[in-house]
């Protein structure tokens, strides 16, 4: 949803006279809440069920998007597209994928998490050309209404078709030898979420996973997803062309993330993360030389390459959370995702400030490339837990293993 803000940014400049920094701040609020809501959403799914949480989240997204058509001040942008849409999208976020994977599968979890992640990340990118066409042809308000109606249209399907646990339909989790009864609701969602955070924060792997994922968010959602279209527009590339390139990233993201899930089931997740971050960093260093008024083959190569690596980091990060934190892994991953979105929010804001200060985004491309190199090194020093699936114990670190 925050991508619609990016597409509408030129309209906001002219209609409301808002700076790039102001719009970047609204995007930052959205991204930060997207991440900070996720761990609480995972606990709420354990308390109230996946179906109820997702249905409410979609309704909140529709409300936030629909209300924007009446906004006239920057604080209303922060409220609607920042607060409401951030809370709604964060409640479905990747914690949803983690919860579904943990409940419904005991085998092929890497592949399943890759498929769910690809669907989540690519959906918004694939719809970009349609939304950009609506913005160009009819202005930004019809595009906002389109998003609101699309979110509402999905709610009945979620309520009628989505189930919370395999036991609800009399099935075993995929790969399980025995039937698994549906667990009782877990009360105290907020208390449990914070308790898991405090326990995980006393272990070294948590901070390494959070740090690498913060850089992941900074170099994807915060940088490319937020600033690629304005940067391309700075080089006289039409907005529809730039949005279409992001859509191509979404297409190849499906391939890359599913492949990453398959690799995660077979190879060391730490080494996979190191490779993904290193390749991403190298590609970002070349981007300033590829931006031009027209789309040339080198730019196409970058888009395809970057798309394959877009969220390929999620399946191995999820696998490491499961390995380190067992039954609490979905909530721990929610906190790791929070770091992802805080990193994204910071770069979304700093990117707008850098553009206002320097007149280009070049410094952001180079800085993000360097951060990706650091993330590759951080991934390699995560120590493996000797007993897979063991839950975190207060005061115990995998390094003590």
């Amino acid at each position: 949803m925050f991508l619609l803000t990016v597409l509408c940014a030129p309209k906001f400049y002219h209609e409301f006279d808002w700076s790039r920094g102001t719009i970047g701040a609204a995007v930052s609020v959205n991204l930060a809440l997207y991440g900070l809501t996720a761990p609480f959403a995972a606990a709420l799914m354990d308390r109230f069920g996946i179906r109820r949480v997702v249905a409410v989240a979609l309704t909140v997204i529709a409300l936030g998007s629909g209300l924007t058509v009446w906004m006239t001040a920057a604080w209303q942008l922060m409220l609607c597209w920042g607060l409401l849409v951030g809370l709604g999208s964060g409640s479905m976020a990747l914690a949803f994928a983690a919860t579904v994977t943990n409940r419904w599968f005991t085998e092929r979890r890497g592949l399943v998490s890759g498929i769910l992640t690809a669907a989540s990340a690519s959906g918004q990118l694939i719809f970009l050309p349609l939304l950009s066409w609506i913005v160009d042809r009819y202005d930004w308000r019809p595009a906002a209404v389109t998003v609101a109606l699309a979110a509402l249209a999905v709610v009945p399907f979620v309520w009628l078709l989505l189930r919370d646990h395999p036991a609800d339909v009399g099935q075993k989790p995929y790969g399980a030898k025995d039937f698994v009864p549906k667990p009782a609701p877990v009360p105290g969602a907020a208390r449990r979420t914070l308790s898991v955070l405090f326990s995980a924060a006393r272990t070294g792997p948590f901070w390494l996973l959070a740090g690498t994922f913060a850089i992941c968010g900074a170099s994807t959602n915060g940088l490319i997803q937020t600033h690629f279209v304005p940067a391309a527009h700075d080089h006289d590339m039409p907005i529809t062309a730039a949005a279409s390139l992001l859509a191509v990233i979404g297409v190849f993201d499906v391939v890359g993330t599913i492949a990453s899930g398959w690799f995660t089931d077979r190879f060391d997740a730490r080494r996979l993360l190191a490779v993904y971050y290193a390749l991403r960093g190298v590609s970002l260093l070349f981007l300033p030389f590829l931006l031009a008024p027209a789309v040339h083959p080198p730019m196409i190569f970058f888009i395809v390459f970057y798309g394959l690596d877009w969220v390929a980091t999620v399946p191995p990060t999820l696998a490491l959370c499961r390995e380190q934190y067992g039954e609490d892994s979905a909530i721990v991953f929610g906190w790791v995702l929070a770091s992802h979105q805080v990193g994204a929010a910071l770069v979304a804001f700093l990117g707008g400030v850098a553009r206002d200060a320097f007149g280009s985004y070049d410094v952001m491309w180079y800085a993000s490339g360097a951060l990706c190199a650091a993330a590759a090194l951080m991934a390699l020093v995560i120590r493996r837990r000797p007993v897979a699936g063991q839950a975190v114990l207060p005061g115990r670190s995998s390094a003590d293993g």
Side-chain angles (χ1 to χ4, degrees), residues 239-281:
I239 292 178
T240 52
S244 297
L245 289 176
L246 280 183
V248 173
I249 287 180
V251 172
F252 283 93
D253 162 68
V254 175
V255 178
T257 310
I258 293 175
S260 177
W262 188 87
F263 291 143
T264 301
D265 288 330
R266 291 161 175 80
F267 301 106
D268 187 338
R270 301 169 303 164
R271 291 186 171 86
L272 289 175
L273 284 178
V275 171
Y276 297 156
Y277 284 122
L279 292 176
R280 181 184 299 175

Side-chain angles (χ1 to χ4, degrees), residues 208 212 215 270 273-275 277-278 370-382:
L208 290 169
T212 56
I215 294 172
R270 301 169 303 164
L273 284 178
V275 171
Y277 284 122
L371 285 174
C372 288
L377 295 176
M378 293 168 63
L380 289 175
V381 301
I382 298 174

Side-chain angles (χ1 to χ4, degrees), residues 143 256 275 292 307 315 324 362:
V275 171
Q324 298 286 339
D362 288 357

Side-chain angles (χ1 to χ4, degrees), residues 13 44 61 64 70 72 78 90 117 119 121 128 156 215 225 255 281 299 346 363:
Y13 303 152
L44 286 172
I61 290 174
W70 290 287
T72 57
M78 302 280 188
T117 301
L128 269 180
I215 294 172
Q225 228 172 5
V255 178
M299 175 59 80
L346 182 61
V363 66

Side-chain angles (χ1 to χ4, degrees), residues 13 17 34 144 158 176 188 214 229 242 246 259 262 294 300 307 333 340 382 385:
Y13 303 152
D17 197 28
Y34 179 97
V158 168
V229 172
L246 280 183
W262 188 87
I300 296 294
F333 179 73
H340 179 284
I382 298 174
R385 194 174 185 87

